[in-house]
Every structure is written in structure tokens, then in C-alpha cells.
Amino acid sequence: MKKIIINRVLMILPTVITIAFLAFSIMYFSPGNPAEILMRYRNPEGGTDPAALAHYEEMLGINDPFLTQFENWGAGILTGDFGESFKTGNPVTEEFFYRIGYTLMLSFTGLAFSLVIGITLGFLSAEFKDSWLDNLLRFTQSLKMSIPSFWLALFFIYIFSTQLRWFSAFGYNSPKDLILPGLVLGLSNSSRMVRLVRTCILEEKGSGYVYTARVKGLSEIQIFFKHILKNITLPIITLTGVSLVSMIGGSLIIENIFGLPGIGTYLVSAIVAKDYPVSMGFLFAYGVIIVFINLFIDIVYQFVDPRVRDCANAEI
Amino acid sequence: MKKEKLLEVEQLNIKFTTSIGDVNVSDNINFTLNKGETFCIVGESGCGKSVVALSLTRLLPENAVINGSVKFEGFTISDLDDKEFAKIRGQKIATIFEQPMSCINPVMRIGEQIAETYRANFKCSKKEAKLQALKKLEEVKLPANRYNAYPHELSGGMQQRVMIAIALACNPQLLIADEPTTSLDVTVQYQILELLQELKEKYHMTILMITHDMGVVHDMADRIGVMYAGNMMEIAERDAFFKQPLHPYAQELLNVVKDPCHYTIPGTVPNLMEIFSGCPFEPRCQKATEMCKTYKPENSVRDERMVRCLNVIPN
Ligand SMILES: Nc1ncnc2c1ncn2[C@@H]1O[C@H](COP(=O)(O)OP(=O)(O)O)[C@@H](O)[C@H]1O
Ligand SMILES: [Mg+2]
């Protein structure tokens, strides 16, 4: 098992390098001159003095070849130095760690909602297969797939914030403000979970151990919680990982709508403001977070199923 | 001595409705299980044996249409609601299936699976259930340190022992064993049969054994039912049966045992979607007459013996 984990960890390296390369290239090839932008931030009244511009270009190394610039940026990453924000002058890492907490809290709230919704509705759908309830659930799931999350967000804000006044519509003051955006995120990511849980349960219900459990005299609910759930953890974990990834991506939009101070909101405003170091750094961080989530899932995988665990041990 | 009846099956008809037509798996089957005996249902694969067994504990999927009556200890099981029946199924009737590996939960420790059975049916503490489970492990001759093992760590024979321990956790009156040894090596088969025999005597259980192996029938049965294409062709006591099987199909089954390397019954088991106008065995029967094609045989019964054939009367 150690060997497998080490393997996975080593495989991350090329992926991370690729992500760094892409994050850098996107900003490198985007139109606009970073030196000019930085100059305007540092000295708003300065006009366009060519000597000053040359100074900033020199400072940023704009005229170096592409690869040299990439190497310099990459070397900075290795020492944890992503440069300073053009806009605020603060180190990018500082800006990042200040905001990542909100994004993670939002994503995990979303994940919790999507798991609870997915497992509950999936169970009901399977248990009452082909009944009106199952049909209704399946209809709403496919409906939900075609509703964009921002629409759902605006709809929820209208109902729960504007009309009912249960939640504030914008900004972050207390953990309670995570509920509504988390619910939106969870709901818009739960359709696949509902369907997966339903299909898995129906499949497992035909298997021998479920018959044995019935023979033992267990009720269907007991059979679900004590037997089926554990057997379908692997697909659920896999999808959870995929969902978490798409939630961290989706949080970008949701954070903006709900005005949460996470990395999504900041990244969008950095891109708009052409704040190059922040944009590159945050794009890179998004990619790396996603890679690490996948790694984490691979490793959790090894521990959940005794069969996978033993196969892995046998390989050594 | 008057025999006490534990299970009575009368006029049992089962068909599955599928998108491509109906499958008739049980055609007016009658049989009874007397307390303490081993009744073997024997027949080739695909004759509907497993389906009949599953119907006794109401485990058939929803597309099954069941008619007729099954009485357990005098109660008609179709009259009981799900909750009442779950209790009987848990405490009084146990079932062992053919594939032990797929029939025990692969991600749960085997000891817990045995203990759980006990806890599901009797109010008791976890500790007490564990003690019971350990006792059962000992009875099926598995070492106590196997309590924490996962199913895949055990051999097929040991897995089947676990299944037996689960089945016997509540000391059932009736044990339904559907091909319990078919997937096992010959030597292991013998050990498992011996174990079943031993436990049967210890707990005065009644066993309904389903098999396609005449050897198993010979070793285990007190009475025998021969099933072919959804029909119970012959029911007889063991000695009488092996002395002189009456139904041509039963005779063919024994011919195979006498010369397993060279003799096979000509033809194959029919698809149960067919509707038989005459006797379902007629196309393969060497004693068939013209009549067999057009007339369905009825059960003819004398004393303990039943035969469903136009050309044979029990005597
Ligand atoms: N759920 C079902 N739907 C349709 N046909 C079924 C179903 N279950 C079993 N059958 C059919 O019933 C027949 C008898 O099967 P089975 O009882 O397993 O035979 P045996 O145990 O004697 O080998 C088979 O032809 C099988 O295809
Ligand atoms: Mg079978």
C-alpha cells in the first residue's frame, strides 16, 4: 500500500508542473502590458513616462524570453514566493491564505448538503422504484441538471432573503451566511449523487448478501444502513471527489453572487483588474487544490474497502 | 407414528411476467415437509428449484405471480403482513444459498454478520450477541479468532460454514439449503454435508435441500422430490426411490449416476417460456407415447408416493 501511495504522490509532480505552465501561459499571452498596469497602480498620476515604464519593465523582467520568465516565476513558487499583488502590494500568498478558508468552508458546506440530499433522495428513489415519488424525483433531478447554479442562487436569494428574510443576501458575517450559498452549491451538484445512489442501491439489492440480510429478518432500512451503504461507499467517495472538485470550481460563481470573500471572488476581480501575479497564483492554486483532492481520494480509497486494502498489500 | 407437518405446499403456481412473455416456473406443485426430516428436491439446472425455494420465504422479485398456498406451522404465509413474516423468516426459517462468497457481505467482519442475525431477532446486548456468535463459530468448526476476519480472507468451504453459522444463529426449525455444496471442491462438499447432518440432529431441524447432485440426495435425503421444468414429477421415500424410481425422468437421473462418464439424458431442459400441451418431459422421454404429446399428466398418489406420468401408476 505504501508503494501505491508513493506512486500516486510522485505522479503529482508532472501534473503540477503542467498546471504552473498553463497558469503562466494564460496570463503571459493575454493582451495588455503588465508593466504599464503596475505603473498605473503604483503611481496613478504618473502619466506615461517612458523612463518609468522601462524601470517597471526591467523590474518585472518583461523583456526576457518566455521560458526565462516562466523559470523565474516557477523558482519563486518553489520558495513560496508568488510575487506581490499589483493592486495592494501584499504578497499573493498572504492574500490567498486570508481567503482560502472561506472557499473551503463554502465548498464543504456544499458537499455536506449534496451528500445528505444525494443519499436521502437516492435511497427514497430506489426504495420506491417506479412509484410516483421516484418519477417525481427523477424528473426534478433532470430539471435541476438544466438549471444553471447562478439562476438557482438568484431564485433562492429572492425567496429566502428578499421575501422571507431568513438569511442575509450578501456578504459574510457569521457561519449562518454559508447556509444559503452552500445549499445552492449542494443542490446543483446533487443530481449526479442522487442518480448514482439510486442505481447503486438497485444493483446491490439483487446481490446475494442482501437476500441473506432479508433472510436474517432485517428491515429494508436496516439493510440499507448496515449493509448496502458500506458496499456503495467506493462509488460515493469517487463521486464525492468529483463533486468537491466541481464545487471548488462552482464556488467561483457562487462566491461572487453571495459576496463571500473567498478566492473565487478575489480571482475574478484580479482578472478584471489585470492583477497578473494574483491571477497566475490563484489559477495555479485552484489547479493544485484539485490535484490534491484527487490524491486524497485515491488514498482514502485504499482504506475503505478491505478488498482493495488487501490487493494493495499483496502487490508489495 | 404420526408424522407432524411443518410445511405444506399446495397447488403452488409461479410465473414471472417479463417483457418478452411469461415464464412458468412452478406448475401445480404439492409437497409437504414433515418435522425433522430432510427433503431433497432434485432436478437439472433451470427446472425452477431455486425459485420454488425462494417463494417459500417470499423472496421472489416483484415480477413473480404466485398462486396456491404455503403453510408453515399451519399459518398460510401469504396471509401474514411483511412485519409478521420477517419475524418468521428471521427466527424460524433459515436459508443458505449456493454462492457463499456473494451471499455474505464482503465488507463486514464475519463475526459481526453472525451476531447481527441474533440481535435482529432477539433483544440482547452487543456483548451477548457476540458470545452467541462465537458459540456458533465453534459449532461450525471455525476457530474463534476468525471472528474478525473478512469474507475474502476465507476459503469457499469456510465461507459456507459462515453462511451456516448465520443461518443457525437463531436455531431455526426449517433450514432451506439451495445447492449448498455445488460451488465447493468434492472433499469440502463432503465435510459441509456432514456438518449439516450433525447440526440437524443436534437441533432437530427440518431441512429442505435443493440440489442437482444425486450423490447428495443419496447421502442426505429422507424423502425426495424430483422436479422437471416446473413440475414435481415424483415424490418418494428415499429407500423406495433408490430401489425403484417410477418416473422416466427419475430413472434417467439415476442412469446418469450409474455411468456419469458416458451417459447423458438426451436433449436439454426446455425454456420455461414454452407452453406445454402435453407432458414437458415428453420430447426427451424414451417411454413416451402419442398420448404424452397431447395430455397433461395429473398427480397420481398412493401412500407416500406421488408420480406425475401418464404411463406410470404408483403401487
Ligand atoms: N426474476 C425472474 N424473471 C424471469 N425469469 C426468471 C426469474 N428468476 C428465475 N427465472 C427463470 O426461472 C427458471 C428457473 O430458475 P431456477 O429456479 O434458478 O432453476 P434451478 O434452481 O432449478 O436451476 C429459469 O429459466 C430462470 O430463467
Ligand atoms: Mg438453482
Side-chain angles (χ1 to χ4, degrees), chain A residues 15-288:
Chain A
T15 321
V16 170
I17 294 175
T18 314
I19 292 171
F21 186 76
L22 287 176
F24 181 80
S25 315
I26 289 171
M27 295 319 291
Y28 180 88
F29 290 113
S30 71
N33 181 350
E36 213 177 297
I37 293 158
L38 178 59
M39 184 170 78
R40 248 185 271 137
Y41 274 120
R42 290 286 172 272
N43 189 2
E45 270 90 61
T48 48
D49 175 11
L53 186 62
H55 164 73
Y56 281 112
E57 279 181 352
E58 174 73 13
M59 195 173 94
L60 292 176
I62 291 276
N63 296 320
D64 292 345
F66 174 78
L67 275 181
T68 319
Q69 288 191 42
F70 177 58
E71 271 170 39
N72 291 338
W73 185 67
I77 291 181
L78 288 181
T79 58
D81 174 15
F82 285 78
E84 282 93 39
S85 160
F86 284 0
K87 207 167 154 186
T88 61
N90 294 328
V92 173
T93 41
E94 197 174 289
E95 302 275 10
F96 179 78
F97 286 114
Y98 176 67
R99 291 174 167 85
I100 182 68
Y102 294 103
T103 299
L104 289 182
M105 277 196 299
L106 173 61
S107 300
F108 280 102
T109 314
L111 192 67
F113 273 117
S114 102
L115 275 175
V116 171
I117 294 169
I119 292 175
T120 317
L121 296 189
F123 171 73
L124 289 176
S125 213
E127 200 59 31
F128 301 102
K129 179 173 171 262
D130 294 332
S131 69
W132 62 268
L133 180 67
D134 181 31
N135 290 332
L136 179 74
L137 285 173
R138 281 200 285 175
F139 173 70
T140 39
Q141 293 322 309
S142 53
L143 188 71
K144 227 168 53 196
M145 296 274 260
S146 50
I147 297 178
S149 61
F150 73 84
W151 193 92
L152 204 61
L154 295 176
F155 180 69
F156 274 34
I157 289 178
Y158 177 74
I159 301 280
F160 295 108
S161 306
T162 319
Q163 295 296 323
L164 296 172
R165 299 189 173 282
W166 288 353
F167 301 97
S168 66
F170 198 80
Y172 181 86
N173 297 309
S174 69
K176 190 179 158 222
D177 293 333
L178 288 173
I179 294 179
L180 210 49
L183 184 61
V184 171
L185 207 51
L187 263 181
S188 55
N189 277 289
S190 64
S191 303
R192 270 182 303 179
M193 190 63 85
V194 176
R195 280 198 299 186
L196 176 90
V197 171
R198 178 181 186 275
T199 326
C200 285
I201 292 179
L202 289 179
E203 204 171 288
E204 294 298 313
K205 282 206 165 194
S207 61
Y209 73 87
V210 171
Y211 277 81
T212 304
R214 287 200 188 118
V215 168
K216 286 178 179 180
L218 298 181
S219 69
E220 290 299 306
I221 291 201
Q222 285 173 316
I223 293 177
F224 175 69
F225 280 107
K226 289 193 181 161
H227 291 270
I228 296 182
L229 197 55
K230 216 169 168 195
N231 274 282
I232 62 175
T233 347
L234 282 192
I236 290 183
I237 289 183
T238 314
L239 187 59
T240 303
V242 176
S243 304
L244 187 57
V245 167
S246 77
M247 290 216 204
I248 288 189
S251 65
L252 212 143
I253 296 170
I254 302 295
E255 277 173 13
N256 275 285
I257 296 178
F258 285 90
L260 297 177
I263 57 174
T265 310
Y266 199 64
L267 174 59
V268 169
S269 69
I271 291 174
V272 171
K274 294 205 179 287
D275 193 338
Y276 284 73
V278 172
S279 307
M280 286 193 298
F282 277 38
L283 278 176
F284 175 73
Y286 258 114
V288 171

Side-chain angles (χ1 to χ4, degrees), chain B residues 124-150:
Chain B
C124 69
S125 68
K126 273 197 171 155
K127 217 168 147 191
E128 202 177 320
K130 183 171 178 175
L131 282 177
Q132 276 293 330
L134 285 168
K135 218 168 97 190
K136 291 294 162 192
L137 274 184
E138 194 189 323
E139 276 180 1
V140 298
K141 307 198 169 53
L142 284 174
N145 64 9
R146 284 305 188 170
Y147 186 92
N148 283 321
Y150 284 102

Side-chain angles (χ1 to χ4, degrees), chain A residues 129 207-218 220 222 226-228 230-231 304-307 309-310, chain B residues 54 59 86 89-90 93-95 97 102-108 113 116-117 120-121 150 152-153 163 166:
Chain A
K129 179 173 171 262
S207 61
Y209 73 87
V210 171
Y211 277 81
T212 304
R214 287 200 188 118
V215 168
K216 286 178 179 180
L218 298 181
E220 290 299 306
Q222 285 173 316
K226 289 193 181 161
H227 291 270
I228 296 182
K230 216 169 168 195
N231 274 282
V304 179
D305 193 309
R307 288 163 299 178
R309 207 158 58 203
D310 282 12
Chain B
L54 286 175
L59 285 171
R89 195 158 62 185
I93 308 180
T95 309
F97 301 103
S102 62
C103 290
I104 36 189
N105 188 341
V107 295
M108 194 168 168
Q113 300 194 49
E116 172 191 63
T117 317
N121 291 290
Y150 284 102
H152 70 275
E153 295 165 353
M163 264 314 292
I166 291 175

Side-chain angles (χ1 to χ4, degrees), chain B residues 162-180:
Chain B
V162 173
M163 264 314 292
I164 295 174
I166 291 175
L168 299 187
C170 300
N171 299 335
Q173 264 132 338
L174 171 61
L175 176 69
I176 301 174
D178 187 353
E179 312 253 6

Side-chain angles (χ1 to χ4, degrees), chain B residues 103-296:
Chain B
C103 290
I104 36 189
N105 188 341
V107 295
M108 194 168 168
R109 296 177 196 283
I110 59 155
E112 283 164 19
Q113 300 194 49
I114 304 170
E116 172 191 63
T117 317
Y118 195 74
R119 262 170 77 79
N121 291 290
F122 303 106
K123 283 205 169 67
C124 69
S125 68
K126 273 197 171 155
K127 217 168 147 191
E128 202 177 320
K130 183 171 178 175
L131 282 177
Q132 276 293 330
L134 285 168
K135 218 168 97 190
K136 291 294 162 192
L137 274 184
E138 194 189 323
E139 276 180 1
V140 298
K141 307 198 169 53
L142 284 174
N145 64 9
R146 284 305 188 170
Y147 186 92
N148 283 321
Y150 284 102
H152 70 275
E153 295 165 353
L154 307 178
S155 67
M158 288 161 104
Q159 286 169 357
Q160 196 57 288
R161 284 170 196 269
V162 173
M163 264 314 292
I164 295 174
I166 291 175
L168 299 187
C170 300
N171 299 335
Q173 264 132 338
L174 171 61
L175 176 69
I176 301 174
D178 187 353
E179 312 253 6
T181 56
T182 304
S183 63
L184 306 174
D185 295 343
V186 185
T187 46
V188 182
Q189 279 189 13
Y190 181 72
Q191 293 165 3
I192 294 286
L193 291 178
E194 208 173 30
L195 176 68
L196 281 175
Q197 190 65 35
E198 184 190 316
L199 292 168
K200 177 197 156 186
E201 274 153 30
K202 186 166 171 189
Y203 290 107
H204 311 290
M205 265 188 312
T206 308
I207 297 183
L208 173 62
M209 170 87 83
I210 290 171
T211 179
H212 64 259
D213 183 344
M214 268 297 172
V216 173
V217 177
H218 188 269
D219 290 350
M220 300 289 290
D222 294 315
R223 285 194 312 133
I224 294 154
V226 179
M227 209 175 148
Y228 183 78
N231 285 259
M232 194 62 92
M233 293 304 201
E234 176 164 359
I235 293 177
E237 306 220 310
R238 177 185 178 276
D239 293 342
F241 180 83
F242 282 103
K243 199 167 138 211
Q244 182 54 55
L246 293 181
H247 197 282
Y249 179 57
Q251 291 166 359
E252 289 282 34
L253 287 176
L254 280 180
N255 285 342
V256 178
V257 184
K258 281 178 199 148
D259 188 6
C261 299
H262 304 102
Y263 190 79
T264 50
I265 309 174
T268 52
V269 178
N271 185 334
L272 296 183
M273 273 200 191
E274 259 176 66
I275 311 241
F276 308 103
S277 54
C279 170
F281 188 57
E282 178 272 327
R284 302 172 75 187
C285 182
Q286 307 198 351
K287 298 180 179 156
T289 61
E290 271 308 304
M291 269 203 329
C292 298
K293 285 200 173 95
T294 39
Y295 294 102
K296 252 192 172 163

